[in-house]
Amino acid sequence: MAELKLFRTSSSPFVLRVVWALDLKGIQYDNIFEDLSNKSSLLLQYNPIYKKVPVLVHNGKPLLESLVILEYIDEIWKQTPILPEDPSERATARFWAKFGDDKVLPSIWNAFIKQGKDQEEAIVTAQENLGCVERQLTGKKFFNGETIGLVDLAFGWLANLLSVFEEVCGVTLIDHEKFPLLLEWIQNFADAPIIKESWPPRDKLITRYQALHEVHTSKEAPK
Amino acid sequence: MAEETVKLLGYWASPFALRVKWALKLKGIQYQYVEEDLPNKSPMLLQYNPVHKKVPVLVHDDKPLAESLIILEYIDEVWKQNPLLPIDPYERAKARFWAKFAEDKCGPAVMAAFSKKGEEKEKAAKEARENLKTLESGLEGKRFFGGETIGFVDIAAGWIGCWAQMTGEIIGIKLIDAETMPLLDAWFKDFLEVPFIKECMPPQDKLLEHNREFHKILTAAST
């Protein structure tokens, strides 16, 4: 049987994408939990450039970068495909996954760590980006249609972290009036079988992000 | 006729549009080229790429595709001759990894060295050189990233060699040199000599002049 190891943490957005993809396809693997403040020598050996998780090691060969790993998984294990077959649909899926990582995530993180007027501006940018994403859900249950696909997995962090960010910061990023489809998607994704089995516990996320928020906002506080 | 079904919206000095031109040339795909006047973007561009409003955009059978690396993958999937990506899934994952590294770490670092002044410029140049040295390791001693012939990473990263050289001339700091990065230096020289690569390059003197002007504007703005 193929040897498959996943170097991970319990709730990193990038790790969870890989966990969900493997679980959706029913692939067996060993979890190796990393303490990011004390990275194992194996992790540093497998990912010397970025020194990050996730790293998927398949028969001794390391795969790095979560979206690259997802494409690899889809190419090796053909059951429950996460990318469509049609090339232009695949290009569209890759486009939105990239948009999520390049624009949505940084803008929401920005809104999370800033305060006052800076935060207000960051929220406007984040909501503009989310508006683009909202429109992609028109007439669909998931970004991939009736089933979960690459873009859903890529945005999965939004489903478990958004309400955490909102609670920790005391702001509302996504409201029912402007983002009804996104809110519905969040619910559908969180309720989906397999996905919900690897759902990070909310209380742990609150604690973690509360701490992160304190660190970042004390750095940013005006002198 | 084939030419009417493929259209590329680009800009003569854009390295990202150049990637797509290279891929189309390599595969012998006929297309209609539309030069965009970037300070006055056409309604067609804004319609085809409403999210980013940027070139390149490839339009195939009226379907617009944006983001150059995603366009490269699309071209490779639709037109199978002279493949860009390897067949083996692990090799494909490595290629995607290095293309992403070049995109995320090398390109922006070169741009930062190009657009900053004084101490910030020195710091950015140092980072650019370090990242380029790392990129060199992706060659694994081969002539091209694709092996004996041009592949995905060569086309993705090839512009960096040319632009790094120009930046070096403009800012007075060498970013790629034969002493510390002999393989990368050899690679970018070999790359630019490949006939189909050379044929698509914009006139070097015009490009250098254009970038000198651009540099003046950027460094005046950062005062």
Side-chain angles (χ1 to χ4, degrees):
Chain A
M1 197 177 95
E3 191 197 63
L4 204 53
K5 287 194 231 267
L6 178 63
F7 287 77
R8 62 174 293 185
T9 55
S10 56
S11 66
S12 146
F14 308 101
V15 162
L16 285 177
R17 289 170 178 173
V18 179
V19 169
W20 287 324
L22 291 168
D23 291 350
L24 280 170
K25 287 173 181 274
I27 301 161
Q28 300 295 312
Y29 58 99
D30 293 328
N31 283 303
I32 297 171
F33 286 91
E34 285 284 328
D35 170 6
L36 295 184
S37 62
N38 187 19
K39 292 170 185 177
S40 72
S41 54
L42 259 183
L43 176 65
L44 299 177
Q45 175 197 316
Y46 282 135
N47 192 357
I49 294 174
Y50 292 114
K51 306 176 175 52
K52 285 182 175 179
V53 291
V55 176
L56 185 70
V57 184
H58 187 203
N59 292 332
K61 292 191 274 199
L63 284 310
L64 315 170
E65 296 293 285
S66 57
L67 294 181
V68 174
I69 296 173
L70 291 188
E71 296 242 17
Y72 176 83
I73 289 171
D74 214 35
E75 285 175 16
I76 299 270
W77 293 279
K78 308 281 191 200
Q79 67 276 26
T80 317
I82 56 175
L83 273 164
E85 265 184 46
D86 173 72
S88 68
E89 286 176 36
R90 290 162 76 82
T92 303
R94 287 172 178 139
F95 177 93
W96 288 107
K98 187 178 198 301
F99 183 78
D101 280 3
D102 290 355
K103 299 284 181 193
V104 180
L105 180 52
S107 64
I108 289 186
W109 180 250
N110 229 15
F112 178 70
I113 60 173
K114 295 212 184 285
Q115 292 174 293
K117 189 122 203 311
D118 286 343
Q119 187 185 47
E120 280 169 28
E121 284 170 13
I123 289 174
V124 168
T125 305
Q127 287 181 330
E128 275 165 11
N129 291 332
L130 288 164
C132 296
V133 178
E134 166 86 6
R135 288 190 279 281
Q136 294 313 301
L137 284 165
T138 311
K140 294 191 283 189
K141 183 180 180 191
F142 296 111
F143 291 101
N144 195 44
E146 276 307 298
T147 56
I148 286 172
L150 181 85
V151 182
D152 303 281
L153 297 180
F155 276 106
W157 62 270
L158 196 63
N160 59 59
L161 282 179
L162 179 74
S163 68
V164 169
F165 284 1
E166 288 179 336
E167 187 177 312
V168 167
C169 290
V171 297
T172 305
L173 271 175
I174 297 188
D175 61 81
H176 257 287
E177 213 179 284
K178 281 193 238 149
F179 303 102
L181 301 177
L182 212 42
L183 283 165
E184 206 180 309
W185 171 81
I186 286 174
Q187 203 55 58
N188 286 330
F189 188 77
D191 287 341
I194 310 283
I195 300 295
K196 66 184 179 190
E197 282 150 44
S198 290
W199 206 250
R202 194 161 190 279
D203 52 351
K204 288 216 168 84
L205 289 176
I206 295 277
T207 310
R208 175 171 157 70
Y209 284 94
Q210 187 80 56
L212 276 170
H213 186 248
E214 264 155 46
V215 166
H216 282 280
T217 47
S218 64
K219 261 195 234 166
E220 300 261 340
K223 285 166 189 142
Chain B
M1 195 174 100
E3 194 178 307
E4 290 164 290
T5 67
V6 183
K7 190 157 47 181
L8 173 63
L9 282 71
Y11 178 63
W12 73 274
S14 159
F16 307 105
L18 188 52
R19 284 170 168 166
V20 181
K21 285 182 195 167
W22 281 331
L24 293 168
K25 186 82 184 177
L26 174 62
K27 288 174 181 272
I29 299 160
Q30 302 292 312
Y31 64 98
Q32 184 204 348
Y33 178 72
V34 177
E35 173 75 11
E36 280 287 324
D37 174 21
L38 289 186
N40 296 301
K41 291 173 183 176
S42 71
M44 182 168 63
L45 175 60
L46 300 178
Q47 178 204 324
Y48 281 142
N49 191 0
V51 174
H52 298 298
K53 306 175 177 53
K54 286 180 174 178
V55 293
V57 174
L58 188 77
V59 188
H60 183 210
D61 290 340
D62 292 322
K63 281 183 284 199
L65 300 140
E67 296 295 285
S68 55
L69 292 185
I70 292 174
I71 294 172
L72 292 188
E73 292 234 29
Y74 175 83
I75 289 172
D76 213 32
E77 285 175 13
V78 174
W79 292 278
K80 308 282 190 198
Q81 67 275 27
N82 295 336
L84 294 175
L85 277 166
I87 296 177
D88 174 72
Y90 184 67
E91 295 299 317
R92 290 161 76 82
K94 276 206 307 197
R96 287 179 176 129
F97 173 85
W98 284 111
K100 192 175 197 299
F101 180 80
E103 186 80 330
D104 291 350
K105 296 289 176 190
C106 299
V110 170
M111 271 311 291
F114 179 75
S115 55
K116 297 200 185 293
K117 293 197 300 194
E119 215 180 282
E120 278 189 319
K121 178 183 82 170
E122 306 280 333
K123 193 166 166 238
K126 182 169 183 275
E127 195 183 321
R129 288 175 58 88
E130 281 165 6
N131 291 343
L132 287 163
K133 185 69 189 165
T134 303
L135 182 64
E136 185 182 62
S137 68
L139 268 170
E140 294 174 343
K142 298 176 293 190
R143 186 170 176 226
F144 298 113
F145 287 93
E148 277 306 301
T149 54
I150 300 277
F152 187 75
V153 183
D154 302 284
I155 296 211
W159 71 274
I160 295 172
C162 185
W163 261 253
Q165 192 188 25
M166 266 188 295
T167 296
E169 252 180 79
I170 293 170
I171 70 172
I173 303 174
K174 243 185 165 182
L175 295 178
I176 298 184
D177 66 73
E179 220 174 87
T180 52
M181 299 168 221
L183 297 177
L184 199 71
D185 187 66
W187 164 74
F188 104 75
K189 287 179 170 128
D190 281 350
F191 178 76
L192 292 173
E193 283 305 308
V194 174
F196 82 89
I197 296 291
K198 220 164 154 174
E199 272 166 52
C200 296
M201 287 291 293
Q204 286 299 279
D205 47 358
K206 195 177 168 200
L207 191 61
L208 184 60
E209 203 38 54
H210 168 84
N211 281 320
R212 270 196 213 279
E213 284 308 306
F214 191 28
H215 177 251
K216 276 191 204 146
I217 295 169
L218 285 174
T219 46
S222 68
T223 307

